[in-house]
Amino acid sequence: MSDATAKPAAPLDEVMLAMDVVDTLRHRQDLAIRELDGAAREAQLIERLRDIYHQQGIEVPDHILKEGVSALAESRFTYVPPAPGLGTTLARLYVGRKRWGKPVGAALLALLVLGIGYFGVWQPYTAGQAARARIELTEGLPARMDALRETIFEETKVQQAVVQADALVARGKAFAQEGNRAGAVEAVESLTALRDQLRQEYVLRVVNRPDVQSGFWTFPEINTAATNYYIVVEALAPDGQVLSLPILNEETGETETVPIWGVRVPESVYNAVAADKRDDGIIQANEVGRKSDGFLDVEYLMPVQGGAVTRW
C-alpha cells in the first residue's frame, strides 16, 4: 500500500497507542522471537509491529512502538489482582453491594424490629407483670385478707367465724410471703365464702312436690345391718328463691353444690314426715330449720343426725 493511498492515522493519544501495542504483542503469538535477545529482539518486534499497524492504515511513531515493547517487558499494563486482605474484601463487598445490599438490609431491619420489640416492648411488659405480681403478693392480697377478716368480725354473731377467719388470714399471709400466689388466692376465696355464708338467710324445708320424693332410706355400705333414714330438703331464701348450697356427701366424702339433698334423721322423724304426707298429700310440718344472718349453721327445728347425701 503506497503512502498516497494510506489511510490517515487514527487520532489516538500516545498512552492508548502504547496500550494497544502491548495488547497486540500479547495476542499475536507469531510475533514471538525467541532466537534473538536484547536490542536485536526489540528491533525485530518494533519492525513487525510497524508493518502490522501500517497494514491497518495506522502510522505509529517508533518511540510509541518502543514504549509498548518496554511496557510489555515491564508488565506495565498487565492487571495484577490485589493481594487478599481486609481492604480487598471490603472493596469487593462495596462493589457488589447491589447484589447483597437488599437482603442484608432486610435482615438488619428485621433484627432492629426484633430488638425494639424485645427490649422496648417485651422486657418492659414482663418486668411490669413481675412488679405487679410482687405488689399483689406483698400488698394487694394481704390487704384483701385483712378487709375480709374485718367484715367477718363485724358481721358475725358467733365466735367460731372469727376463729376461722383468723386461721385463714394467717395461712394466706404465710403463702404470700413464700411467693405462693395460688395459696394466697385460695385463702382470699375461703374468706369470701365464709363472709357469704354468714350473710346467707334461708329456711330449710322438706321438699313436697310430685316429681321429687320427700324421703328415703338406705343400707349403709359399712354396716348393712343398719338403716339410714333421710328426708329431702331444699333451702329457700327470703324472696322464695331456691338456693344451691355446698353439701358434703357422707357416703362419698365429696362436696357438691346442689339445690336439694337428703338430711339424715332418726326413724321417728322419717315416719312422722311420711305420715304427715300420707294424711292429705301435703306436709304440714315441713320446716326443718332456719339459717339466720350472722350465723354459720342452720338452727334445726326437728332432730337430725348430722349426715347428708347428694345422690340417691
Side-chain angles (χ1 to χ4, degrees), residues 145 165-178 183-184 186-187 190:
M145 295 177 202
D166 287 341
L168 287 170
V169 169
R171 183 182 179 188
K173 287 186 175 180
F175 280 135
Q177 289 178 353
E178 295 170 1
E186 183 180 357
S190 298

Side-chain angles (χ1 to χ4, degrees), residues 107-181:
L108 291 175
L109 180 61
L111 288 175
L112 177 63
V113 171
L114 288 174
I116 292 174
Y118 180 76
F119 294 104
V121 178
W122 176 248
Q123 274 198 340
Y125 172 75
T126 54
Q129 289 284 86
R132 283 190 290 273
R134 184 174 61 254
I135 293 172
E136 182 187 29
L137 277 173
T138 58
E139 301 177 17
L141 291 173
R144 289 174 62 188
M145 295 177 202
D146 289 337
L148 286 165
R149 190 270 178 195
E150 187 64 24
T151 299
I152 292 168
F153 178 80
E154 293 175 353
E155 296 184 6
T156 187
K157 296 175 183 176
V158 289
Q159 184 63 25
Q160 180 187 358
V162 177
V163 173
Q164 291 183 19
D166 287 341
L168 287 170
V169 169
R171 183 182 179 188
K173 287 186 175 180
F175 280 135
Q177 289 178 353
E178 295 170 1
N180 186 341
R181 183 181 182 278

Side-chain angles (χ1 to χ4, degrees), residues 56-77:
Q56 297 175 8
I58 303 173
E59 296 299 332
V60 180
D62 286 352
H63 72 279
I64 296 298
L65 295 174
K66 187 175 181 180
E67 180 70 18
V69 173
S70 299
L72 178 64
E74 299 170 3
S75 299
R76 194 182 308 163
F77 298 118

Side-chain angles (χ1 to χ4, degrees), residues 40-95:
R41 181 173 181 275
E42 180 178 334
Q44 285 281 24
L45 282 174
I46 290 173
E47 182 62 30
R48 292 187 180 185
L49 285 169
R50 185 184 300 111
D51 290 341
I52 290 171
Y53 283 107
H54 184 73
Q55 291 172 10
Q56 297 175 8
I58 303 173
E59 296 299 332
V60 180
D62 286 352
H63 72 279
I64 296 298
L65 295 174
K66 187 175 181 180
E67 180 70 18
V69 173
S70 299
L72 178 64
E74 299 170 3
S75 299
R76 194 182 308 163
F77 298 118
T78 301
Y79 171 73
V80 179
L86 178 61
T88 303
T89 301
L90 292 175
R92 286 174 177 167
L93 287 174
Y94 179 77
V95 171

Side-chain angles (χ1 to χ4, degrees), residues 230-244:
Y230 297 89
I231 56 175
V232 180
V233 299
E234 60 187 353
L236 273 70
D239 60 0
Q241 179 183 1
V242 177
L243 304 177
S244 291

